[in-house]
Amino acid sequence: MRRAVCPGSFDPVTNGHIDIVTRASALFDEVVVAVGVNKSKSRLFSPEDRIEMLEEACRGFDNVSVAGFSGLLTTFCEEQGIHAIVKGLRAVTDFDYELQMAQMNASLTDVETVFVPTSPEYSFLASSLVKEVAMFGGDVSGLVPAFVHERLLVRLREQRAGNGS
Ligand code: ADP
């Protein structure tokens, strides 16, 4: 059984993430989307919300599951018996960091990183940019699933109202 992990913070999940998960699910027997839950002040959504949105977004795949992980991704891979990490590569700017990370992870445990080139229509798409554009009133409805868009607008309203936690 070939298993792979698609890691990230998914704050929130975008259509670009779903594209990579879709393609990973066709390449591997089983895919675990691993949501990093390490503490960070810069996240808009809680770990529970991010996991819930991914579960909803991945409902249509029968070989994809979602899990939270804290600490090192390589430790998670060892615990799960997973030997492949799938990452999307958007542009050359992603490459330096991703190469370094892939080599570091390979040096820590027996894991191979598989890079999947982003579909051109998503090459500019990043969760951070989606949040920033939405925060200033831009229309990001075509960049995330509809239910994520709704939750994003609600969350940003809450944050503006002072309930930022
Ligand atoms: P991180 O928490 O690593 O900054 P994200 O949660 O934003 O990353 O994304 C997780 C992973 O999903 C990225 O490392 C990348 O492999 C992939 N990814 C993100 N955005 C896109 C996109 N637009 N197209 C393809 N893959 C993407």
Side-chain angles (χ1 to χ4, degrees):
M1 175 93 83
R2 286 178 185 270
R3 304 176 73 218
V5 65
C6 288
S9 44
F10 304 100
D11 186 39
V13 55
T14 69
N15 292 342
H17 293 132
I18 295 170
D19 178 51
I20 292 300
V21 171
T22 304
R23 290 158 67 194
S25 82
L27 289 172
F28 291 88
D29 298 315
E30 239 178 72
V31 174
V32 179
V33 182
V35 183
V37 300
N38 288 340
K39 283 238 173 314
S40 164
K41 285 199 175 124
S42 59
R43 304 273 181 252
L44 180 63
F45 289 98
S46 68
E48 295 75 22
D49 284 353
R50 287 182 277 133
I51 290 171
E52 201 178 284
M53 284 187 278
L54 266 165
E55 280 173 343
E56 175 76 34
C58 296
R59 195 158 283 170
F61 302 96
D62 53 16
N63 65 340
V64 176
S65 60
V66 180
F69 78 99
S70 57
L72 287 177
L73 177 62
T74 47
T75 307
F76 178 80
C77 290
E78 280 170 353
E79 285 166 1
Q80 301 277 325
I82 293 178
H83 300 283
I85 299 171
V86 175
K87 301 294 302 260
L89 272 190
R90 279 167 290 204
V92 74
T93 43
D94 279 346
F95 185 75
D96 277 352
Y97 178 71
E98 292 295 350
L99 179 66
Q100 194 180 14
M101 184 64 88
Q103 289 168 337
M104 173 60 89
N105 285 337
S107 79
L108 292 173
T109 190
D110 175 23
V111 68
E112 208 54 88
T113 298
V114 177
F115 292 118
V116 176
T118 296
S119 300
E121 64 266 40
Y122 302 125
S123 62
F124 63 93
L125 192 46
S127 298
S128 54
L129 213 50
V130 166
K131 285 182 284 190
E132 204 172 320
V133 170
M135 200 180 304
F136 292 107
D139 180 8
V140 294
S141 58
L143 307 178
V144 294
F147 72 93
V148 172
H149 187 234
E150 272 172 38
R151 288 182 68 157
L152 179 60
L153 298 184
V154 169
R155 187 74 192 95
L156 289 171
R157 264 200 303 273
E158 281 173 2
Q159 210 184 37
R160 263 197 298 272
N163 179 16
S165 62

